């Protein structure tokens, strides 16, 4: 995929994500996962068609249980984003990349998920460029005063998850892979 590297992350343009959603890369990937890291009310207000809602670092659990990595050549493309792709989406990107590298210390550079990306400009940019590829066709801002309590709860939950879930807990993820 056409991408750039920003802050150590592979970043792709909204146009490329639109092409992924529209199946233009279907022969290149067996599975395309768009991971939406926004809060529930943001996701419910509108999201990229087919996106999975994973607002916390439980992303490894979701990826391992719902889409277990395989070693048989399956090509998986993972795209993370949040509202602007400046905090929550990149945090999940870094968590998955760190976990994947730790799992493959013995055989680096092999990875379960070699092709992971962050959506440049986040959902906000994608929605304004491609509203027809959003379900429902809406955009709910994180800082909307009507969702102040939900936002506060989401921020507290994310903070608690970061504290309690260490990327050094590789044993838990290995067990998930075996189950």
């Amino acid at each position: 995929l056409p991408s750039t590297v920003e802050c150590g992350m592979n970043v792709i343009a909204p146009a490329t994500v639109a092409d992924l959603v529209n199946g233009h890369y279907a022969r290149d990937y067996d599975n395309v996962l768009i991971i939406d890291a926004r809060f529930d009310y943001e996701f419910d207000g509108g999201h990229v068609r087919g996106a999975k809602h994973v607002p916390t670092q439980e992303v490894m659990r979701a990826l391992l249980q719902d889409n277990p990595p395989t070693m048989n050549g399956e090509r998986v493309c993972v795209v993370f984003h949040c509202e602007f792709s400046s905090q929550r989406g990149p945090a999940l990107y870094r968590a998955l990349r760190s976990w994947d590298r730790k799992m493959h210390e013995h055989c680096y550079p092999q990875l379960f998920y070699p092709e992971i990306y962050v959506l440049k400009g986040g959902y906000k940019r994608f929605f304004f460029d491609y509203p027809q590829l959003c379900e429902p066709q809406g955009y709910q801002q994180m800082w909307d005063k009507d969702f102040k309590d939900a936002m506060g709860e989401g921020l507290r939950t994310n903070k608690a998850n970061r504290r309690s879930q260490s990327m050094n807990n590789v044993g838990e993820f290995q067990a998930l892979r075996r189950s």
Side-chain angles (χ1 to χ4, degrees):
L1 289 178
S3 65
T4 59
V5 176
E6 296 179 18
C7 300
M9 296 179 291
N10 295 321
V11 177
I12 60 174
T16 305
V17 174
D19 286 344
L20 284 165
V21 170
N22 285 324
H24 295 157
Y25 290 97
R27 67 182 173 284
D28 298 316
Y29 298 105
D30 300 305
N31 200 356
V32 173
L33 303 170
I34 299 172
I35 307 294
D36 190 321
R38 296 175 304 143
F39 299 135
D40 294 346
Y41 64 92
E42 293 173 281
F43 183 82
D44 293 343
H47 55 270
V48 176
R49 185 183 339 136
K52 287 184 164 278
H53 184 225
V54 185
T56 67
Q57 289 193 4
E58 290 292 310
V59 68
M60 270 66 72
R61 176 166 285 141
L63 287 173
L64 292 172
Q65 287 180 341
D66 298 342
N67 300 284
T70 63
M71 301 307 288
N72 65 2
E74 181 181 34
R75 292 199 50 196
V76 179
C77 176
V78 183
V79 179
F80 293 98
H81 75 86
C82 54
E83 184 174 14
F84 304 109
S85 287
S86 62
Q87 295 291 324
R88 297 171 286 171
L92 294 183
Y93 172 103
R94 286 189 292 273
L96 179 61
R97 179 57 78 222
S98 175
W99 169 83
D100 207 356
R101 284 184 177 153
K102 184 135 184 89
M103 293 294 292
H104 290 92
E105 285 176 330
H106 65 286
C107 58
Y108 184 82
Q110 184 177 359
L111 297 169
F112 288 130
Y113 296 102
E115 293 194 55
I116 65 173
Y117 304 91
V118 172
L119 169 60
K120 186 173 185 77
Y123 180 74
K124 180 178 182 179
R125 177 78 276 141
F126 187 85
F127 174 73
F128 285 108
D129 290 350
Y130 301 97
Q132 72 279 10
L133 296 178
C134 299
E135 299 173 340
Q137 287 187 3
Y139 167 51
Q140 179 62 58
Q141 294 181 10
M142 178 179 136
W143 292 98
D144 187 315
K145 64 182 180 203
D146 292 338
F147 294 96
K148 183 178 177 184
D149 292 340
M151 182 188 66
E153 179 59 32
L155 291 170
R156 283 188 295 281
T157 299
N158 282 353
K159 187 175 182 179
N161 283 339
R162 281 192 308 272
R163 266 198 313 262
S164 68
Q165 183 178 355
S166 165
M167 291 312 301
N168 293 329
N169 195 358
V170 174
E172 176 183 339
F173 299 119
Q174 288 173 330
L176 283 171
R177 280 189 44 231
R178 288 189 289 272
S179 60

